[in-house]
Amino acid sequence: MGWGIIGPYFFKNDEGHNVTVNGDRYRAMITNFFIPELNNHDVQELWFQQDGATCHTARATIDLLKDTFGDRLISSLDL
């Protein structure tokens, strides 16, 4: 984005070890890290794009992203 980059974000457990990204962890990152960062910037026209990884296309994830971005969501799964 013209104003900067959000991240990086590393998925770690409570002990600080790297963990596999799953739907719950991905949604927690979006809710607790990504969206608060977006709220610090004027991004009313921002489009969000992601690939077809399983954690990205879980129904709960798509619902969260649609609530956040509306029709400005580009995802490989058309729900």
Side-chain angles (χ1 to χ4, degrees):
M1 292 175 256
W3 45 261
I5 296 171
I6 295 176
Y9 183 89
F10 298 98
F11 291 86
K12 297 186 177 282
N13 63 16
D14 293 337
E15 292 80 37
H17 298 109
N18 294 331
V19 293
T20 302
V21 180
N22 61 25
D24 290 336
R25 291 180 181 128
Y26 184 63
R27 287 186 298 279
M29 181 276 297
I30 291 170
T31 301
N32 301 322
F33 175 76
F34 186 67
I35 292 173
E37 283 292 320
L38 287 180
N39 291 335
N40 292 328
H41 304 281
D42 182 23
V43 292
Q44 297 302 319
E45 300 300 318
L46 177 79
W47 284 72
F48 185 84
Q49 181 176 355
Q50 63 181 8
D51 63 18
T54 303
C55 62
H56 296 171
T57 58
R59 170 68 67 175
T61 301
I62 296 295
D63 290 346
L64 170 64
L65 292 170
K66 282 186 175 183
D67 286 346
T68 304
F69 296 101
D71 63 352
R72 295 169 305 164
L73 171 62
I74 301 168
S75 185
S76 62
L77 185 64
D78 186 30
L79 294 175

